[in-house]
């Protein structure tokens, strides 16, 4: 049995190697492509595995995503049912998603981007700001992260609505399901925060139909995946003025290509996929535990439901 590590960043792979090696000193742990015997690899620890990577390990038993999402694994690979796939579930990552969206919303409510532009041209220009108690937030996706983000917003005094595939009970959060539920939620939300997993069903969900159902003057925050958004539809609805702007952390192609019209758009705030970043120190214990579970033929922690795709 051996562990293979795959990331596109050598330093990152090395850090993972050190964390796993110091906790599993008697195991063979190798960084791809330097794998001495690919037949022995049973546990693949990875982020954005290249197409066909899984076929190189015929005796694989489990795949550990190094992030909360698994779309980067499932999009290029059909996983046989005997292989378990696990995602990261980490309180720090979950909380970071809330802090990021909260910062975007507060900065927008208090006009910080406008004041910062005015400061550059020494323009003293007071502008009315908004108050938390008057703002409604709509959360798309009520999994572990979405539920937490919804509750945190509600705890600080926002009105919060949430939309998910199946009905969820969250105290002080109104939840919606189905297409008509989605439109109802969009029509009353001042800010819509996308935290959906990327699956065949959710790809392209933020299209012109969705965007035209958003409340007039509302604002989109995308911390899910770039592929949830039809970029041209987003640009045209913002240019029409119906949606006031967007804060985008994730994109179809990352890094965001230089020629993307998002970069220079005055109503779009770009962040480089930093809403939450995996910290090895808080995440390695679940990866180590999962390897032990693979060895003991047990069910992994944070197992992905392959038919749902998250
Ligand atoms: C993740 C991410 O899935 O960083 O964890 O996008």
């Amino acid at each position: 049995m051996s562990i293979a590590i795959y990331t596109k960043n050598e330093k990152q792979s090395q850090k993972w190697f050190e964390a796993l090696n110091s906790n599993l000193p008697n195991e063979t742990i190798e960084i791809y492509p330097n794998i001495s015997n690919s037949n022995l690899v049973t546990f693949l620890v990875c982020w954005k595995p290249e197409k066909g990577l899984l076929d190189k390990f015929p005796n694989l038993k489990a795949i550990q995503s190094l992030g909360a999402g698994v779309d980067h694994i499932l999009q290029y690979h059909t996983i046989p049912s005997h292989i378990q796939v696990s995602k990261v579930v980490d309180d720090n990552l979950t909380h970071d998603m809330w802090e990021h969206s909260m910062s975007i919303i507060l900065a927008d409510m208090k006009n910080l981007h406008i004041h910062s532009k005015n400061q550059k041209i020494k323009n003293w220009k007071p502008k009315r700001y908004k108050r938390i108690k008057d703002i409604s937030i709509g959360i798309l996706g009520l999994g572990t992260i979405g539920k937490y983000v919804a509750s945190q917003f509600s705890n600080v005094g926002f009105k919060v609505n949430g939309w998910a595939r199946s009905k969820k009970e969250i105290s002080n959060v109104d939840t919606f399901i189905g297409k008509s539920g989605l439109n109802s939620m969009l029509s009353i939300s001042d800010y819509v925060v996308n935290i959906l997993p990327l699956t065949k069903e959710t790809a392209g969900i933020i299209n012109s139909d969705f965007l035209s159902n958003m409340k007039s003057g509302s604002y989109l925050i995308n911390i899910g995946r770039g592929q949830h958004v039809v970029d041209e539809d987003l640009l045209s609805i913002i240019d029409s003025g119906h949606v006031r702007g967007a804060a985008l952390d994730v994109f179809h192609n990352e890094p965001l290509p230089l020629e993307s019209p998002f970069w220079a758009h005055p109503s779009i705030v770009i962040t480089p996929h930093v809403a939450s970043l995996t910290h090895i120190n808080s995440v390695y214990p679940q990866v180590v535990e999962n390897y032990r579970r693979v060895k003991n033929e047990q069910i992994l922690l944070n197992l992905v439901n392959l038919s749902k795709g998250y």
Side-chain angles (χ1 to χ4, degrees):
M1 289 192 103
S2 80
I3 302 176
I5 299 172
Y6 179 101
T7 76
K8 291 192 164 45
N9 176 323
E10 264 175 50
K11 274 197 193 141
Q12 194 68 3
S13 293
Q14 188 57 36
K15 283 190 188 151
W16 270 105
F17 172 81
E18 282 154 22
L20 297 182
N21 200 40
S22 56
N23 286 279
L24 297 165
N26 302 321
E27 304 297 334
T28 305
I29 305 173
E30 294 169 319
I31 300 177
Y32 184 85
N34 301 318
I35 306 291
S36 46
N37 183 350
S38 44
N39 289 324
L40 293 182
V41 173
T42 48
F43 190 55
L44 173 65
V45 175
C46 62
W47 183 250
K48 298 193 176 172
E50 66 194 23
K51 212 172 182 170
L53 181 75
L54 273 46
D55 303 336
K56 301 195 164 133
F57 306 120
N59 295 314
L60 204 56
K61 291 191 174 165
I63 304 168
Q64 171 72 57
S65 165
L66 288 180
V70 289
D71 49 291
H72 62 104
I73 300 170
L74 304 187
Q75 68 184 339
Y76 295 130
H77 302 94
T78 307
I79 313 288
S81 56
H82 69 275
I83 296 185
Q84 302 189 71
V85 179
S86 164
K87 61 189 171 188
V88 164
V89 177
D90 175 57
D91 290 350
N92 289 321
L93 279 183
T94 305
H95 187 80
D96 293 349
M97 294 288 266
W98 175 64
E99 285 193 4
H100 181 89
S101 28
M102 174 77 170
S103 318
I104 298 279
I105 290 175
L106 284 180
D108 185 66
M109 285 169 56
K110 304 299 172 188
N111 305 308
L112 295 191
H113 299 293
I114 296 173
H115 295 315
S116 150
K117 278 184 197 144
N118 283 339
Q119 180 179 351
K120 289 195 183 95
I121 51 169
K122 302 186 180 170
N123 184 10
W124 180 271
K125 198 165 179 211
K127 185 169 164 56
R128 285 242 162 261
Y129 48 82
K130 297 184 187 117
R131 297 197 174 101
I132 287 181
K133 67 183 171 64
D134 299 324
I135 298 292
S136 261
I137 299 181
I139 308 290
L140 277 178
L142 296 173
T144 311
I145 299 175
K147 260 192 212 158
Y148 177 86
V149 170
S151 301
Q152 289 289 99
F153 275 128
S154 161
N155 292 345
V156 295
F158 288 99
K159 287 182 230 115
V160 186
N161 307 298
W163 183 80
R165 175 166 137 138
S166 56
K167 193 78 188 148
K168 302 279 184 311
E169 295 298 330
I170 310 170
S171 70
N172 298 320
V173 176
D174 288 335
T175 59
F176 297 80
I177 52 169
K179 173 81 179 111
S180 65
L182 176 60
N183 290 344
S184 306
M185 186 189 85
L186 294 176
S187 69
I188 54 171
S189 301
D190 299 299
Y191 293 90
V192 173
V193 183
N194 175 40
I195 317 183
L196 286 168
L198 180 65
T199 64
K200 285 194 194 84
E201 288 73 36
T202 64
I205 189 173
I206 305 178
N207 55 20
S208 58
D209 178 44
F210 177 108
L211 293 159
S212 55
N213 281 308
M214 281 174 69
K215 182 175 170 182
S216 172
S218 59
Y219 193 94
L220 175 74
I221 297 165
N222 188 15
I223 52 174
R225 286 289 182 257
Q227 290 82 350
H228 286 129
V229 177
V230 179
D231 292 354
E232 306 71 49
D233 292 358
L234 178 60
L235 285 166
S236 68
I237 202 111
I238 293 178
D239 290 339
S240 78
H242 177 70
V243 169
R244 196 165 43 81
L248 307 174
D249 187 54
V250 286
F251 302 90
H252 283 258
N253 295 309
E254 295 177 7
L256 181 63
L258 294 180
E259 62 277 13
S260 168
F262 287 152
W263 279 116
H265 199 293
S267 306
I268 292 181
V269 172
I270 306 269
T271 49
H273 202 142
V274 289
S276 67
L277 296 171
T278 302
H279 282 258
I280 294 181
N281 284 349
S282 76
V283 169
Y284 81 78
Q286 61 189 271
V287 179
V288 169
E289 171 59 19
N290 270 343
Y291 180 65
R292 294 207 174 101
R293 288 179 180 227
V294 173
K295 278 189 100 175
N296 297 328
E297 306 203 336
Q298 292 169 323
I299 307 282
L300 300 193
L301 295 176
N302 310 321
L303 190 67
V304 169
N305 178 328
L306 290 176
S307 61
K308 285 188 178 166
Y310 55 91

